[in-house]
């Protein structure tokens, strides 16, 4: 799901973190699943919903112990912000604010 967007986000996060060395950076967990159905196709009614995969991703992140989530994939926001990705994803999204 948006591997270049994720890579760009992580690069920016690292570059903007005021760390003197590796140990000064933020601990990060990434969930990148290229098997998530195409978000744009789903929005246009031409493909399956990505919501089940997004929900599973949110649950995976919760099990990993994350306290906040960033979603660099623009089209995934239509599902996370729209409330379609269940309480699991919405709870993580609220934690990011």
């Amino acid at each position: 799901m948006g591997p270049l967007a994720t890579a760009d986000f992580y690069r920016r996060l690292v570059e903007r973190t005021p760390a003197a060395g590796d140990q000064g950076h933020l601990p990060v967990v990434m969930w990148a699943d290229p098997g998530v159905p195409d978000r744009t196709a789903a929005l246009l009614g031409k493909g399956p919903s990505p919501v089940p995969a997004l929900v599973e991703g949110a649950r995976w992140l919760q099990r990993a112990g994350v306290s906040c989530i960033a979603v660099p994939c623009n089209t995934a926001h239509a599902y996370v912000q729209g409330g379609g990705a269940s309480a699991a994803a919405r709870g993580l999204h609220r934690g990011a604010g």
Side-chain angles (χ1 to χ4, degrees):
M1 189 170 76
L4 288 177
T6 301
D8 184 55
F9 171 79
Y10 187 59
R11 180 185 54 79
R12 290 171 188 243
L13 178 66
V14 170
E15 288 174 350
R16 288 173 172 81
T17 300
D22 290 348
Q23 293 73 23
H25 285 275
L26 299 169
V28 174
V29 174
M30 286 185 209
W31 178 73
D33 183 355
V36 174
D38 187 279
R39 282 76 51 211
T40 301
L43 286 170
L44 296 173
K46 297 180 179 181
S49 173
V51 170
L54 295 173
V55 169
E56 181 50 39
R59 289 182 179 143
W60 185 89
L61 290 166
Q62 285 180 321
R63 288 189 301 271
V66 302
S67 59
C68 66
I69 185 173
V71 182
C73 177
N74 289 331
T75 52
H77 282 274
Y79 299 96
V80 175
Q81 291 178 342
S86 91
R90 288 193 305 271
L92 285 172
H93 187 67
R94 279 196 306 271

